[in-house]
Amino acid sequence: MPQYHQPEIETMPRDELRALQLERMRESMRNAYDNVAVFRERFDEAGLTPDDLTCLEDLAKFPFVVKQDMRDAYPFGMFARGNEDVARIHASSGTTGQATVVGHTATDLENWGDCFARGIAMVGGTADSTIQVSYGYGLFTGGLGAHAGGEAVGCTVIPTSSGNTKRQVQMMKDCNTDILACTPSYALLIADTAREMGYDPAVDFPISACICGAEPASENMRQEIADKLGVQYCDVYGLSEIMGPGVAMECAERGGLHIAEDHFYCEIIDPDTLEVLPDGEWGELVITTLTRECSPLVRYRTRDVTRIVDEPCACGRTHRKIDRLRGRTDDMLIIRGVNVFPSQIEQVITGFPEIAAQYQIILTTKGALDHVELQVETVPEYAFDEVRKLEELKGRLAAELKSNLQVSVEIKIVEPKTIERSMGKAKRVIDLREGMQR
Ligand code: DLL
């Protein structure tokens, strides 16, 4: 018997759900138009007002917003509420000044907890469950998002955050963790560490589910996590601009992630023509928030590639699903759960006069974790044979990258003209990680 967190909403008949979506979309658009300059300007330019929305399909007439709009509005330019109503802010990774800041009112935070809580119910979690949150806590939405979900269900929450893996394993065992919430790569590292410590978590630990997201995971990786930990794998999707984890979550039937359709309206567009595609076709996911008070977004282009699965689900939930993500329509990389744009690396390199503009990023998997090698060339006038100087340069560059990207990078400095030149678009990223076809 499937279990729900909010049964009356999760199993709402579709016509009622669509009526609710339209009502909320009108309110949300009005909130955006009245309180956020970017929306007012864009709608005015297009000759539209929120009153032009008479049915859900009318949304296609409205302009898109993109991450750059949020960057341009840094920090609070897209807030629809004043400071007295803002309960918390989160920010996505990015170099200083380029981050996107998102505000949450108390109601926004409550809704977020309920969205994630639905996923906890999907894996059989109840007030009697213990959830260990091994996503990072902080500006990143993983830790506090999963935490709010656990609290909404009434679980015992263990806020371990990420890191200190042996202690994570010990807590899992000693405190009887039922549900682990973390990135898939970290789940694998935890499983492997447990084995190194002499445990077989699938047998020795009571854990029954893993709620994993924030980065792509191949089918093999999911299977490995499910087998090594002996768990139901639940894929959770979300992004900080829209809310955080819990925008869509995977039930036990698999076959896609149920969108929290009472809070978000999803469209799939062709990234070239920008036309809305019919359900079932792969394209870029565009999300309109329906209830967000502080940071409402109308037609936000996520750059994530998926499709809408509009088939009845045996779990009884009526909310449509998105398929597991297939990639992105931009060049954003997700390295150990951290979002990195190659342009950020380029920006750091340009601050080093000894280094040429040519570079290549090689991504591999070492153990369970992503490994990044950055190959750079010295400029021709640089004395390449002075080993000590070269080591010093490497160290400086690695430290600068670490502080800008929050990711450790192994630097390989090569002689001028070593990196293969391309006849067309330079191939900056070679992604050899399993399941990544970029
Ligand atoms: O990663 C929020 C999150 C935290 C989701 C914990 C799930 C679990 P951002 O840092 O803003 O937010 O990164 C958002 O990560 O646009 C996707 O490209 C990617 N992503 C998120 N979830 C998944 C997933 C969080 N389940 C970006 N599968 C998104 C694949 C994912 N990619």
Side-chain angles (χ1 to χ4, degrees):
M1 179 60 193
Q3 155 196 322
Y4 310 107
H5 174 61
Q6 292 168 305
E8 67 296 346
I9 298 169
E10 292 175 74
T11 63
M12 189 180 264
R14 282 217 60 85
D15 50 346
E16 276 177 45
L17 183 60
R18 281 177 65 83
L20 178 71
Q21 285 186 310
L22 181 59
E23 184 193 316
R24 290 185 169 178
M25 193 183 285
R26 283 212 189 102
E27 278 170 26
S28 184
M29 250 191 196
R30 179 52 71 188
N31 181 26
Y33 185 76
D34 289 347
N35 300 308
V36 183
V38 177
F39 287 113
R40 176 172 287 267
E41 284 159 24
R42 297 273 166 86
F43 289 11
D44 286 352
E45 259 168 47
L48 294 164
T49 73
D51 296 332
D52 290 304
L53 187 89
T54 56
C55 62
L56 291 170
E57 287 67 29
D58 278 344
L59 183 63
K61 296 192 276 192
F62 286 81
F64 297 102
V65 282
V66 295
K67 200 180 180 98
Q68 191 59 43
D69 294 317
M70 301 182 78
R71 287 184 178 141
D72 293 346
Y74 176 88
F76 307 134
M78 285 180 79
F79 280 23
R81 289 288 184 276
N83 201 35
E84 66 282 10
D85 291 329
V86 182
R88 197 197 298 159
I89 60 167
H90 280 276
S92 77
S93 39
T95 43
T96 326
Q98 272 201 319
T100 53
V101 177
V102 173
H104 305 256
T105 65
T107 307
D108 291 334
L109 292 176
E110 195 182 321
N111 288 336
W112 185 3
D114 282 329
C115 286
F116 197 97
R118 293 178 193 177
I120 296 179
M122 287 173 193
V123 299
T126 65
D128 198 25
S129 307
T130 297
I131 179 169
Q132 182 164 334
V133 181
S134 308
Y135 286 114
Y137 279 65
L139 288 175
F140 174 60
T141 52
L144 286 160
H147 189 109
E151 287 190 338
V153 174
C155 300
T156 305
V157 183
I158 312 183
T160 40
S161 193
S162 51
N164 209 340
T165 310
K166 280 194 176 151
R167 197 181 64 180
Q168 301 264 2
V169 172
Q170 210 54 53
M171 294 288 286
M172 268 173 79
K173 179 175 183 293
D174 298 343
C175 301
N176 300 319
T177 299
D178 302 293
I179 302 167
L180 177 67
C182 62
T183 60
S185 48
Y186 199 43
L188 214 47
L189 184 66
I190 289 176
D192 290 339
T193 305
R195 286 167 163 230
E196 279 162 28
M197 290 165 71
Y199 300 120
D200 179 355
V203 178
D204 304 333
F205 294 6
I207 185 167
S208 60
C210 217
I211 303 181
C212 288
E215 64 183 8
S218 65
E219 186 54 43
N220 283 348
M221 191 167 176
R222 283 168 58 104
Q223 200 54 52
E224 208 177 324
I225 293 167
D227 292 346
K228 283 186 172 165
L229 290 173
V231 291
Q232 175 185 336
Y233 186 104
C234 166
D235 189 353
V236 49
Y237 171 73
L239 58 169
S240 50
E241 289 83 358
I242 292 292
M243 176 176 81
V247 171
M249 300 187 76
E250 184 183 22
C251 69
E253 303 297 325
R254 307 182 61 158
L257 291 72
H258 289 283
I259 305 158
E261 285 200 289
D262 50 326
H263 294 292
F264 308 103
Y265 185 82
C266 290
E267 299 167 285
I268 299 291
I269 60 160
D270 177 322
D272 298 321
T273 65
L274 305 183
E275 291 298 319
V276 177
L277 296 172
D279 285 354
E281 285 193 27
W282 291 90
E284 182 181 318
L285 177 65
V286 172
I287 303 180
T288 296
T289 64
L290 304 179
T291 55
R292 305 267 312 150
E293 293 181 337
C294 182
S295 294
L297 286 175
V298 179
R299 305 199 87 200
Y300 179 72
R301 289 187 61 182
T302 65
R303 305 285 178 181
D304 288 318
V305 176
T306 181
R307 62 178 177 154
I308 288 180
V309 181
D310 186 15
E311 285 158 17
C313 185
C315 76
R317 289 179 182 82
T318 49
H319 297 217
R320 296 180 306 167
K321 300 175 183 175
I322 48 168
D323 212 325
R324 280 165 48 203
L325 266 59
R326 246 197 198 172
R328 293 190 49 93
T329 59
D330 63 6
D331 57 356
M332 186 181 92
L333 302 165
I334 304 178
I335 301 169
R336 297 189 181 193
V338 179
N339 303 346
V340 175
F341 288 93
S343 56
Q344 286 174 267
I345 296 183
E346 200 164 321
Q347 215 175 359
V348 172
I349 296 174
T350 51
F352 285 75
E354 308 91 328
I355 290 171
Q358 286 294 335
Y359 67 94
Q360 205 156 50
I361 302 160
I362 297 152
L363 296 168
T364 49
T365 311
K366 274 202 180 155
L369 292 177
D370 296 333
H371 178 260
V372 191
E373 180 185 293
L374 174 69
Q375 290 196 4
V376 288
E377 289 177 359
T378 47
V379 290
E381 42 299 355
Y382 186 80
F384 192 81
D385 38 14
E386 282 186 43
V387 178
R388 209 161 44 82
K389 255 176 75 187
L390 211 57
E391 284 305 315
E392 183 268 334
L393 176 60
K394 243 191 200 176
R396 270 194 297 129
L397 182 56
E400 192 62 26
L401 285 166
K402 172 86 191 170
S403 94
N404 274 271
L405 312 175
Q406 283 103 47
V407 166
S408 297
V409 175
E410 186 187 330
I411 312 280
K412 191 167 169 195
I413 301 185
V414 293
E415 289 188 53
K417 305 223 162 43
T418 312
I419 297 172
E420 199 184 312
R421 299 319 197 239
S422 150
M423 300 291 282
K425 219 169 132 68
K427 182 133 182 75
R428 298 289 190 212
V429 180
I430 300 179
D431 201 339
L432 303 172
R433 293 176 296 177
E434 196 193 341
M436 301 292 125
Q437 311 103 358
R438 286 182 192 276

